[in-house]
Amino acid sequence: MSKQPILYSFPENDALQDALFTFVLSHQNSALHRHHVFRIAVSGGSLPKMLASEKLLTSPEIQWDKWQIFFADERAVPLDHEDSNYALLKSELLDKIPADKPQPTVVPIDEKQLNNTQELADNYEQALVRYFAAKDSVKLPIFDLILLGCGPDGHTCSLFPEHELLRENIAWVAPIDDSPKPPKSRITLTLPVVTHALTVAFVATGEGKKEVMRKIFDSENGEGLPCALVNSGSRDRVVWFCDNKATEGVLYQKKSSL
Ligand SMILES: O=C1O[C@H](COP(=O)(O)O)[C@@H](O)[C@H](O)[C@H]1O
């Protein structure tokens, strides 16, 4: 049986959002069955808006109080800054969860460490250690689900093409001070943490992604782009949710429904 990533391509964002909702709900339910908590990491960029569908926000089946939400990457800025991934998730999703529903646990960065990205990363890693078990008892944390974006250059989290951080294999969370995309200073989950998750889902939409999608899926080894490294590390534990604009011209086998 082939152990390849699954690539869904939908004609419209509504269909993509419906499928993403069904997928997230089923991963929530499996996680709750396994360990009574749903540990999810989310990205910034276009992801929070796509995730925050009406269905997700209003479904009686979503058990928000069982969700522990972490950040796949974060920018070294205050939590209310316009570049903050936390601020984005808050405005797109967290603030829209009806107030009468139990609320999720959200684990943002510690704003006191903003001047030193190494400390910011270490501090976030310690937060993961508290939720996932001591680092000396587990080699890597196991997220139930990590939701990622794919930049037009093939970056994901704050893991950029050809950057030395792609070779980091000790830290769970690493700093970056030379991000090619502003802001320069950020922290990110490392590649081994991402590929160790039970499931990884990418969301990529729009014409601006079609060139990089062809490289990731149709070129040899996806040209070693960070998103392709996740594909080869996680194989059939990776699912892509795209629209037809992003997958135009991609030869890799596409599916149009879950
Ligand atoms: O800088 C970032 O960009 C990526 C991709 O964003 P998108 O808007 O192209 O989806 C995002 O996944 C990451 O969290 C963010 O920090």
Side-chain angles (χ1 to χ4, degrees), residues 42-48 50 71-75 83-85 88 147-153 155-160 179 181-183 186-187 202-205 209:
V42 297
S43 302
S46 52
L47 182 96
M50 295 302 286
F71 290 85
D73 71 324
E74 182 55 288
R75 290 88 177 274
D83 286 336
S84 159
N85 285 344
L88 184 66
L147 295 176
L148 297 176
C150 162
D153 59 351
H155 86 269
T156 191
C157 302
S158 285
L159 299 166
F160 289 89
S179 162
K181 176 179 174 183
R186 298 154 169 244
I187 62 163
F202 283 94
V203 176
T205 58
K209 303 282 164 78

Side-chain angles (χ1 to χ4, degrees), residues 22-123:
T22 304
F23 181 85
V24 169
L25 176 61
S26 118
H27 283 74
Q28 171 209 265
N29 291 344
S30 314
L32 296 187
H33 188 71
R34 273 194 312 277
H35 49 205
H36 310 291
V37 62
F38 182 39
R39 296 196 187 107
I40 177 168
V42 297
S43 302
S46 52
L47 182 96
K49 200 183 179 89
M50 295 302 286
L51 176 63
S53 60
E54 203 51 35
K55 274 196 174 165
L56 184 93
L57 291 167
T58 56
S59 166
E61 293 177 273
I62 294 292
Q63 298 189 43
W64 290 113
D65 54 335
K66 305 278 173 35
W67 285 43
Q68 291 174 349
I69 305 180
F70 301 85
F71 290 85
D73 71 324
E74 182 55 288
R75 290 88 177 274
V77 294
L79 295 175
D80 59 359
H81 191 280
E82 59 178 350
D83 286 336
S84 159
N85 285 344
Y86 169 81
L88 184 66
L89 187 77
K90 184 172 180 308
S91 63
E92 293 291 355
L93 189 145
L94 303 173
D95 287 350
K96 295 179 183 165
I97 300 173
D100 60 345
K101 292 205 177 192
Q103 300 294 306
T105 299
V106 184
V107 185
I109 53 166
D110 180 356
E111 287 182 299
K112 293 193 287 294
Q113 318 279 346
L114 287 177
N115 292 331
N116 183 329
T117 46
Q118 183 63 64
E119 279 175 20
L120 191 66
D122 290 348
N123 184 279

